[in-house]
Amino acid sequence: MRRETSLPELLAPAGSEEAFYAALAAGADAIYLGGKQFSARAYAENFDDETLARCLAAAHARGVRVYVTVNTLLYEPELADAVRYAETLCRLGVDGMITTDVGLADYLREHLPQLPLHASTQLSLHSTAGAVEVSDLGFTQIVLARELSEENIRSAVEGAPAPVEVFIHGALCVSHSGQCLFSSLVGGRSGNRGECAQPCRLPTKDGSYPLSLKDLCLARHIPALIDAGVACLKIEGRMKQPAYVGRVTAIYRRLLDERRAATDAEYRELEGIFSRSGFTDGYFTGKTESAMTGVRREQDKDESRAAVYQPPCLPPVPLTAEAEIVEGRPATLCLTRPDGANIRVTGETPAPARSSPLTPEGVKTRLGKCGGTPYLLPPENIRLTLGEGLNLSPASLNALRRAALDGLSGARDEIPALPIPEKVTAGFAGPENSALFFSAATYAALGEERDFFSVVFVPLWEYDTLENPPVGVWLPPVITDKEEPEIRHLLDKAKARGATHALVGNPGQVKLAREAGLTVFGDFRLNILNSRAAAYWHRHGVSDAVLSPELTPAGMRDIGGRAIVYGRIPLMLTERCYMKLFGGCVRCGEVPLTDRTGTEFPLVRIPPHRNMILNSVPTYVGDRRDLIPAGVRAHFIFTTETPDECRRVLAAYRRGEPISGAYRRFPKSRR
């Protein structure tokens, strides 16, 4: 959906109250921040309820919107606390809640529709199909994936059912957002839970930093973004200092207001504020090459330290008021801000005075006490209609003033407590054993061992290479609008040859597979961690699903579905081709990523030139069937294994024996 305003909203980050006021003073149209729980930046200072209320009042006094991130994936026992927190945010008057978990979003859409919801970039919305698919959740703004080109952004803006938000500046993850398990499965700190340890910023064995991307900067593309109809331009940086937030926001404010691209001097100024060997616009321009990589050099640090920043001093916002205190009617007070926003409240009815009646001076003094708020109400700005011989207690006048000031801050009326979300039955059902073979040739070479599986998936782009293909196709994890016509064509061909099932890992793919008439299986990339998320996808045509590998056995039991009982679980999905970097196209699939400790992580190519970085060891629980809860079925992933290795794994699993070499188990506990 194209925006309805002449300019996009400029959305700035705040990880602390000081950074919040820096963004406010620099001209942000909106500010996003995290609370003390359920924020994907768990290590930022973040905001408690009291601080948030204070900041909301300051922002709303100046016509600035505030969005709060509740964008971690949620385990079943956390849903109740997340709902209670959403209630608090709604009462405080936040202008939107940015969320990732479809289970929470679905619940709030039904029970708290007055709270606007924004679809987080962690939902991996790469296409119009994805935006349309999640529109049922009632999102009022959709944050696109950062990896999209200008062409795909324009297409999504035109086709999305809600306004679109795009990142324009700040740190980039090398993995597609919402698709990274590296920190979680290797280091025990989940990026989906706000605890990322940033393994992508570490060197490889040869001392290079191939996974460390430069920061994003689209300052030279502002006119194109305005023309594309993007509704919101977002600066990343909730872990950054107030100086960064204030200075970066101020530059983009100027560029937007003047509807122009950054000059060379402004670009250099942005680099001096913070960069990693400069900036990149590689995703936007489609040039995903080595120039995208960069580290934080000493030169970069020196430039940042040399920057001079004066903390902002925000003057109070002057109000005008109309008050009426007359006999026989409740007292009223109307407050109006300079931008025209106003609020009218009603208080108690005055009584005849027994001794000292109200005076205009006394009433104006009482109504003008705005201490502790961002407002100023001098007596000369109050137009008062006051009857003679009346009395209204100081407490009543104070209550009248507080109600009006609270109303201006955006606080909503008290809302009834929502029912505690109960565990629901997703309804997932399917055959006993399923498997994904990254290589159709490996599947073909297995022979009779294939009969162990009730349903097998092979890559959609390899389906035509098989003489006797299985019933399942696996869709590539990312399908942009530009790529969608070819995928639809391949789906039609596969169905004509007997395909009946599709394994999908993205909201947009759910829609594509459903429209192709295939039975939809959800891959682990749907990030299902609670029963409500599972139930949502089941209602939308997902018949069965592979659960998130971040779940414990107890968490799996809460949901049902499928668990990965064997396989090198993909840790990252990269837009850039690292195979070409490490070994050239002639050695595609042969050269691993080797970290600083010498551990090797295999790479797999996903057409056209995306890569999956696989875990160095497989997950395996065949010798511990007690770890697989009742009602949870088995799913296997075969990636780099030879046919003989596949046979040995299946033989060990059938006998309930361990496999040779190192492997990992399911997580034992939640962090």
Side-chain angles (χ1 to χ4, degrees):
M1 175 187 292
R2 292 184 65 87
R3 68 177 182 278
E4 297 178 353
T5 56
S6 61
L7 283 178
E9 172 185 73
L10 179 58
L11 178 58
S16 67
E17 189 170 7
E18 292 77 10
F20 184 94
Y21 285 106
L24 202 57
D29 296 308
I31 301 170
Y32 70 103
L33 53 88
K36 293 293 187 182
Q37 50 188 338
F38 311 123
S39 167
R41 291 293 182 268
Y43 301 121
E45 182 177 325
N46 293 322
F47 294 72
D48 59 25
D49 295 349
E50 181 181 348
T51 307
L52 175 57
R54 186 164 58 246
C55 288
L56 276 165
H60 289 166
R62 296 164 176 87
V64 173
R65 294 169 289 280
V66 177
Y67 309 136
V68 177
T69 59
V70 182
N71 58 342
T72 59
L73 295 174
L74 301 170
Y75 294 119
E76 191 75 30
E78 296 175 320
L79 281 170
D81 286 342
V83 167
R84 293 288 173 259
Y85 187 51
E87 286 180 4
T88 298
L89 297 180
C90 190
R91 279 193 291 269
L92 288 173
V94 303
D95 300 283
M97 190 180 93
I98 304 169
T99 192
T100 301
D101 195 290
V102 297
L104 176 64
D106 190 43
Y107 184 87
L108 295 178
R109 174 191 58 82
E110 179 181 355
H111 294 282
L112 199 62
Q114 60 268 55
L115 178 62
L117 298 178
H118 295 192
S120 168
T121 190
Q122 294 293 109
L123 273 166
S124 298
L125 299 176
H126 304 99
S127 65
T128 299
V132 171
E133 181 64 23
V134 300
S135 64
D136 181 64
L137 287 163
F139 288 117
T140 60
Q141 195 150 290
I142 292 172
V143 188
L144 291 181
R146 306 177 210 210
E147 297 79 19
L148 294 184
S149 66
E150 178 184 354
E151 178 184 3
N152 284 311
I153 289 172
R154 287 179 177 272
S155 176
V157 166
E158 294 297 334
V164 164
E165 179 179 314
V166 170
F167 279 91
I168 57 168
H169 196 92
L172 283 175
C173 299
V174 68
S175 174
H176 280 259
S177 296
Q179 304 296 302
C180 183
L181 293 170
F182 210 131
S183 179
S184 177
L185 299 191
V186 176
R189 286 172 50 178
S190 171
N192 288 322
R193 306 271 299 160
E195 302 167 339
C196 183
Q198 295 189 309
C200 54
R201 301 297 183 192
L202 297 175
T204 52
K205 187 177 181 180
D206 64 2
S208 65
Y209 294 80
L211 301 184
S212 180
L213 296 188
K214 295 176 180 176
D215 277 20
L216 169 69
C217 180
L218 298 186
R220 288 174 171 157
H221 302 283
I222 295 300
L225 290 163
I226 294 173
D227 180 68
V230 174
C232 177
L233 303 182
K234 185 174 190 175
I235 299 167
E236 188 278 338
R238 283 189 287 142
M239 298 292 289
K240 295 292 197 301
Q241 295 298 312
Y244 172 95
V245 173
R247 295 180 68 204
V248 171
T249 302
I251 291 173
Y252 279 100
R253 176 76 276 157
R254 184 165 66 243
L255 298 180
L256 272 174
D257 290 345
E258 297 175 9
R259 291 170 168 78
R260 64 174 176 83
T263 64
D264 289 346
E266 288 167 326
Y267 199 82
R268 287 193 298 271
E269 184 180 354
L270 286 167
E271 286 183 323
I273 297 168
F274 187 96
S275 80
R276 290 182 171 90
S277 314
F279 292 129
T280 181
D281 59 1
Y283 290 141
F284 189 80
T285 61
K287 298 176 181 178
T288 54
E289 300 166 352
S290 58
M292 291 187 71
T293 59
V295 295
R296 187 89 167 122
R297 305 167 301 182
E298 286 304 317
Q299 174 187 338
D300 301 324
K301 297 175 184 178
D302 290 341
E303 289 179 356
S304 296
R305 284 191 286 263
V308 177
Y309 177 70
Q310 182 65 40
C313 180
L314 291 170
V317 177
L319 298 175
T320 58
E322 292 185 12
E324 182 181 81
I325 303 174
V326 295
E327 185 177 359
R329 292 206 299 267
T332 62
L333 174 63
C334 177
L335 298 180
T336 302
R337 295 197 313 240
D339 63 359
N342 64 78
I343 187 74
R344 180 179 295 275
V345 297
T346 301
E348 296 183 4
T349 301
R354 294 182 178 180
S355 54
S356 301
L358 295 173
T359 65
E361 295 78 12
V363 171
K364 289 183 177 183
T365 297
R366 184 71 61 179
L367 295 180
K369 291 183 176 180
C370 296
T373 77
Y375 297 109
L376 175 69
L377 181 55
E380 61 269 21
N381 285 13
I382 303 174
R383 189 168 68 184
L384 174 64
T385 301
L386 178 63
E388 293 185 2
L390 298 176
N391 188 33
L392 198 61
S393 70
S396 297
L397 286 171
N398 291 341
L400 188 69
R401 181 192 70 245
R402 282 195 298 269
L405 290 171
D406 287 346
L408 273 185
S409 75
R412 295 180 175 90
D413 293 336
E414 195 69 19
I415 58 175
L418 303 185
I420 295 175
E422 298 178 351
K423 185 173 71 174
V424 296
T425 301
F428 286 151
E432 187 63 25
N433 298 318
S434 61
L436 166 62
F437 285 83
F438 274 38
S439 167
T442 300
Y443 164 77
L446 276 187
E448 63 182 20
E449 287 88 354
R450 294 176 299 189
D451 296 338
F452 176 73
F453 302 107
S454 303
V455 60
V456 169
F457 301 93
V458 296
L460 176 63
W461 57 92
E462 292 188 8
Y463 198 79
D464 242 5
T465 66
L466 295 175
E467 184 177 349
N468 296 301
V471 298
V473 293
W474 175 56
L475 273 63
V478 170
I479 303 171
T480 65
D481 283 354
K482 185 177 180 179
E483 297 160 347
E484 185 180 310
E486 176 63 15
I487 296 298
R488 287 186 181 274
H489 172 67
L490 291 176
L491 282 171
D492 290 341
K493 286 182 64 177
K495 186 179 180 185
R497 291 201 61 206
T500 58
H501 292 67
L503 184 63
V504 306
N506 183 276
Q509 296 169 19
V510 174
K511 184 175 187 293
L512 291 179
R514 196 173 57 225
E515 291 176 350
L518 299 175
T519 298
V520 184
F521 267 46
D523 204 354
F524 72 90
R525 293 183 181 279
L526 286 182
N527 287 327
I528 296 174
L529 271 80
N530 59 68
S531 66
R532 289 193 168 270
Y536 171 82
W537 285 122
H538 188 255
R539 288 203 317 272
H540 285 254
V542 177
S543 63
D544 202 353
V546 181
L547 303 176
S548 168
E550 295 192 89
L551 279 170
T552 64
M556 297 175 192
R557 185 184 61 243
D558 287 338
I559 303 170
R562 298 184 176 275
I564 299 171
V565 298
Y566 173 81
R568 290 180 184 268
I569 296 174
L571 301 179
M572 284 185 173
L573 174 68
T574 69
E575 191 69 12
R576 181 185 171 196
C577 183
Y578 283 95
M579 292 182 174
K580 182 178 179 181
L581 172 68
F582 296 149
C585 294
V586 295
R587 300 188 64 192
C588 184
E590 297 178 6
V591 183
L593 170 73
T594 305
D595 73 8
R596 68 194 190 286
T597 70
T599 303
E600 294 186 349
F601 297 86
L603 299 172
V604 177
R605 175 175 170 258
I606 306 296
H609 292 289
R610 297 183 179 99
N611 287 175
M612 275 188 180
I613 301 175
L614 307 178
N615 204 350
S616 59
V617 296
T619 293
Y620 180 68
V621 294
D623 58 329
R624 287 290 308 276
R625 302 295 177 86
D626 58 301
L627 295 178
I628 307 175
V632 175
R633 295 172 301 286
H635 182 70
F636 295 74
I637 302 176
F638 295 103
T639 52
T640 61
E641 293 85 357
T642 66
D644 282 343
E645 288 171 334
C646 293
R647 293 186 183 99
R648 286 195 289 271
V649 167
L650 291 176
Y653 186 87
R654 282 169 159 160
R655 294 193 298 264
E657 296 175 355
I659 56 174
S660 60
Y663 48 87
R664 66 178 292 275
R665 302 292 196 186
F666 296 146
K668 292 182 179 179
S669 61
R670 304 183 180 99
R671 288 184 58 87

